[in-house]
Amino acid sequence: MSTNLAQQLREGTTKSHSMAENVSFVKSFLGGVVDKKSYRQLVANLYFIYEAIEEQIEKNKNNLCVNAIYFPELYRKESLVRDLDYYYGNGWINQIEPSSATRIYVDRIHQIGYSNPELLIAHSYTRYIGDLSGGQILKKIAQNAMQLPNNKGTSFYDFELIDNEKLFKDIYRESLNNIPLDNKQINQIIAEANIAFNLNMKIFQELNSNLIKIMLMLLISSINNFRKKFS
């Protein structure tokens, strides 16, 4: 019997989705304004997030609920490794660390993986389906805004193991709908999906704060240089 979980998730996270899209960093990105330093920190943050999600999905893949969303073709960790190698160079692993908001996100993933693994469904839905749906548009924005060479620094957006995006999303949606869940579990998953959106917003807000600091530093530097010319 179908629970219609896919539709319930979409409707139950509409407000959170809209709020996430209106964070200044996201609005700037969608508008084609991308600071490369902030973007590479985002890539680093995503690496730690997907490492945690994929570790917990693998550990819990024999759980009936988690097994329903066990699609390794969605995994992003390896693609992020390629992007990190581009942005940071060969020694990237020694140069990156998760931001404060990212640590909270990663801790949450591990917490539910150990105590309530069916809630991993919410994080899979929030991250992977969002990435798959808007990936190519975001890839073009990143390429144009940062003037990236072809297929460099944007591996994250390429799902090489998925040939037909629409067909895959139909399969994923059907799999969600067929997970044997009661109403309490469904409500918990929807609540967790909203938590996931909020955790993502916190990361974007951090990046926006960093971008503002950089812009202020550049402005102060320009003013100081201007003054020196006329002193």
Side-chain angles (χ1 to χ4, degrees):
M1 181 179 176
S2 175
T3 61
N4 209 19
L5 178 60
Q7 184 176 341
Q8 290 194 66
L9 271 168
R10 185 172 64 253
E11 293 175 354
T13 57
T14 300
K15 184 177 179 180
S16 294
H17 189 274
S18 178
M19 289 173 64
E21 285 184 335
N22 281 289
V23 174
S24 295
F25 178 84
V26 178
K27 289 177 73 175
S28 296
F29 188 99
L30 294 173
V33 179
V34 184
D35 171 65
K36 199 168 187 177
K37 188 173 182 179
S38 294
Y39 183 78
R40 76 173 193 166
Q41 179 60 53
L42 172 61
V43 173
N45 289 340
L46 290 173
Y47 170 81
F48 292 109
I49 291 165
Y50 282 100
E51 181 180 49
I53 292 174
E54 288 159 20
E55 177 185 335
Q56 290 303 326
I57 288 177
E58 284 294 331
K59 283 183 177 179
N60 290 284
K61 64 185 178 183
N62 292 325
N63 175 287
L64 183 63
C65 297
V66 177
N67 186 261
I69 49 101
Y70 182 68
F71 294 100
E73 57 265 53
L74 285 171
Y75 284 2
R76 297 290 82 205
K77 181 181 172 182
E78 292 307 314
S79 64
L80 286 162
V81 166
R82 292 193 291 273
D83 287 342
L84 287 167
D85 189 61
Y86 173 75
Y87 289 111
Y88 289 91
N90 291 333
W92 62 267
I93 192 66
N94 299 314
Q95 298 180 58
I96 66 170
E97 60 180 29
S99 69
S100 297
T102 302
R103 287 192 184 97
I104 293 171
Y105 198 160
V106 168
D107 287 347
R108 179 69 183 181
I109 296 297
H110 288 307
Q111 177 191 337
I112 64 172
Y114 291 122
S115 64
N116 207 354
E118 62 265 26
L119 295 183
L120 291 169
I121 293 167
H123 293 273
S124 171
Y125 169 83
T126 303
R127 287 283 1 159
Y128 292 119
I129 298 306
D131 298 331
L132 184 61
S133 297
Q136 293 310 302
I137 294 172
L138 296 176
K139 177 181 179 179
K140 288 178 182 177
I141 291 173
Q143 286 176 327
N144 292 333
M146 294 184 286
Q147 298 181 333
L148 300 173
N150 287 340
N151 299 319
K152 293 290 185 180
T154 56
S155 294
F156 172 68
Y157 302 110
D158 294 327
F159 288 80
E160 296 173 347
L161 299 178
I162 296 175
D163 295 324
N164 188 318
E165 178 188 315
K166 183 182 182 303
L167 178 61
F168 180 85
K169 285 195 288 189
D170 287 343
I171 293 169
Y172 187 95
R173 192 179 301 113
E174 184 178 357
S175 189
L176 277 181
N177 290 340
N178 289 327
I179 300 173
L181 298 165
D182 58 35
N183 287 333
K184 181 182 178 181
Q185 289 173 309
I186 289 170
N187 289 333
Q188 288 175 333
I189 290 168
I190 294 170
E192 187 67 27
N194 282 297
I195 289 172
F197 271 110
N198 185 261
L199 291 169
N200 279 286
M201 282 174 59
K202 297 294 185 185
I203 290 171
F204 292 138
Q205 286 167 347
E206 270 186 340
L207 291 168
N208 185 59
S209 176
N210 291 339
L211 179 57
I212 290 171
K213 288 177 184 176
I214 291 167
M215 291 173 70
L216 283 172
M217 289 171 64
L218 289 171
L219 177 61
I220 292 168
S221 177
S222 297
I223 291 170
N224 288 338
N225 288 335
F226 182 79
R227 284 175 175 170
K228 285 177 184 178
K229 287 181 181 178
F230 294 93
S231 61

